[in-house]
């Protein structure tokens, strides 16, 4: 265990390919929350063809992306690179994956055009593309121990994700569709790894979840009971504004076959 001021080592995977609806803001929020505590945070960007050293990073991040980008990333994550990511999480590293990134960390993603993308199998989850998209603001009742709160964000996906017994949902949908629009689950958790459909960016307006990740990431190398609290007045106001908005919108109807859009090409 190290003494001295903690330094958070973040690995941002495929930043130029997997970054929609402000997903990069999650990395900015993580760095910001460390620096406000007087701690350092270092971001390493890794993309296609660049190997992962599981011991060099405390926290991994992968954002969302379209099916086309997901195909490139899927090929790149096959084999050793995916194994390295699994090894890091097994060793206690933290991870946040959003939407398209989340789908690729499951067992497989069958796109709505029939492409089979084998996943990293970090999460016991499978995703199948549907012929409608789940789009809109989301509120989630998050029961993650140490980060019990509502989560607010924005979803836009055709994939329906179903979890197996090897992981558990991040929370229950209050508004929105979540993993599949049917079972009420949103996202998944395995060890310190989180998958979620919530873009937004997610972490700037969900500071408890940001700190859950930072604490778990740092505990692997530093003796830390808890994080020093921050003044989150601004973050909490952003959270409340997003929550008020989604609650005002009311419940979205279930998609019936008649309301379905034509399948995207
Ligand atoms: N292409 C995936 C889907 O539509 C993921 C999209 C995303 O990351 N927003 O399900």
């Amino acid at each position: 265990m190290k003494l001295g001021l903690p330094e958070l080592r973040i690995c941002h995977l495929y930043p130029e390919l997997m970054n929609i609806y402000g997903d990069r803001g999650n990395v900015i929020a993580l760095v910001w929350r460390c620096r406000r505590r007087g701690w350092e945070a270092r971001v390493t960007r890794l993309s296609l063809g660049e190997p992962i050293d599981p011991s060099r990073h405390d926290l991994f991040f992968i954002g969302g992306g379209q099916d086309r980008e997901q195909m490139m990333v899927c090929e790149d994550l096959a084999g050793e690179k995916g194994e390295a990511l699994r090894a890091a999480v097994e060793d206690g590293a933290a991870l946040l994956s959003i939407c398209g990134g989340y789908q690729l960390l499951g067992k497989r993603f069958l796109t709505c055009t029939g492409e089979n993308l084998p996943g990293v199998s970090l999460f016991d989850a499978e995703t199948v593309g549907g012929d409608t998209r789940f789009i809109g603001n989301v509120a989630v009742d998050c029961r993650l121990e140490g980060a019990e709160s509502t989560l607010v964000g924005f979803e836009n996906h055709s994939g329906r994700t179903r979890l197996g017994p090897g992981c558990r949902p991040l929370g229950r949908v209050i508004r929105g569709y979540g993993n599949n629009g049917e079972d009420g689950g949103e996202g998944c958790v395995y060890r310190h790894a989180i998958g979620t459909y919530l873009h937004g960016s997610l972490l700037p307006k969900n500071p408890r979840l940001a700190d859950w990740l930072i604490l778990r990431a740092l505990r692997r190398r530093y003796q830390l009971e808890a994080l020093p609290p921050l003044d989150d007045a601004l973050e909490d106001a952003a959270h409340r504004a997003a929550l008020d908005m989604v609650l005002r919108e009311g419940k979205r109807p279930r998609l019936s076959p008649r309301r379905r859009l034509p399948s995207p090409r």
Side-chain angles (χ1 to χ4, degrees):
M1 279 293 156
K2 283 194 166 193
L3 297 171
L5 290 184
E7 179 196 42
L8 181 67
R9 304 170 309 172
I10 301 171
C11 178
H12 188 173
L13 290 163
Y14 312 104
E16 77 298 3
L17 292 171
M18 305 293 283
N19 175 39
I20 45 179
Y21 311 121
D23 288 341
R24 192 169 66 93
N26 292 302
V27 175
I28 297 171
L30 291 165
V31 170
W32 173 238
R33 297 186 73 75
C34 288
R35 298 216 171 130
R36 276 170 71 200
R37 293 181 164 106
W39 301 345
E40 204 33 75
R42 188 154 40 90
V43 182
T44 306
R45 296 175 174 83
L46 287 186
S47 195
L48 302 177
E50 297 174 318
I52 291 174
D53 176 345
S55 64
R56 282 190 62 174
H57 313 284
D58 307 311
L59 195 157
F60 293 83
F61 175 74
I62 176 168
Q66 308 299 350
D67 293 5
R68 194 166 47 93
E69 280 76 32
Q70 285 179 281
M71 284 176 209
M72 291 187 247
V73 170
C74 163
E75 254 181 56
D76 192 62
L77 279 174
E80 274 178 30
K81 199 157 169 179
E83 276 165 35
L85 199 53
R86 279 205 312 268
V89 169
E90 288 303 334
D91 189 47
L95 178 146
L96 176 64
S97 57
I98 312 286
C99 198
Y102 164 34
Q103 294 169 346
L104 292 181
L105 300 189
K107 290 182 166 165
R108 71 164 184 153
F109 173 33
L110 185 64
T111 72
C112 57
T113 48
E115 264 92 18
N116 182 37
L117 309 189
V120 167
S121 293
L122 174 67
F123 298 128
D124 181 12
E126 274 204 16
T127 302
V128 177
D131 55 4
T132 53
R133 297 192 72 79
F134 291 155
I135 304 174
N137 296 314
V138 188
V140 174
D141 180 16
C142 174
R143 292 272 140 239
L144 189 60
E145 204 191 321
E148 295 88 348
S149 57
T150 49
L151 296 176
V152 286
F154 171 79
E155 65 183 334
N156 183 351
H157 53 107
S158 78
R160 276 78 165 147
T161 301
R162 301 211 174 260
L163 307 187
C167 58
R168 59 188 198 282
L170 175 63
R172 310 288 305 163
V173 165
I174 303 168
R175 291 284 193 276
Y177 298 102
N179 280 340
N180 50 57
E182 282 176 12
D183 65 18
E186 203 306 303
C188 84
V189 183
Y190 171 69
R191 296 178 70 85
H192 303 149
I194 290 176
T196 174
Y197 275 109
L198 270 52
H199 299 279
S201 314
L202 174 67
L203 296 182
K205 53 184 182 288
N206 294 289
R208 289 218 183 102
L209 189 63
D211 279 357
W212 187 93
L213 285 162
I214 294 173
L215 181 61
R216 268 105 202 128
L218 288 175
R219 264 193 190 152
R220 201 168 156 222
R221 291 188 304 127
Y222 299 91
Q223 200 126 35
L224 276 178
E225 283 297 309
L227 298 181
L230 295 176
D231 174 4
D232 277 330
L234 203 57
E235 288 79 358
D236 291 342
H239 181 98
R240 257 195 321 276
L243 185 61
D244 287 350
M245 183 172 68
V246 62
L247 294 178
R248 261 200 319 271
E249 287 170 355
K251 268 204 180 357
R252 270 191 290 284
R254 286 214 185 287
L255 296 177
S256 69
R258 266 182 296 117
R259 293 185 69 252
R260 285 194 176 149
L261 307 170
S263 307
R265 295 289 122 219

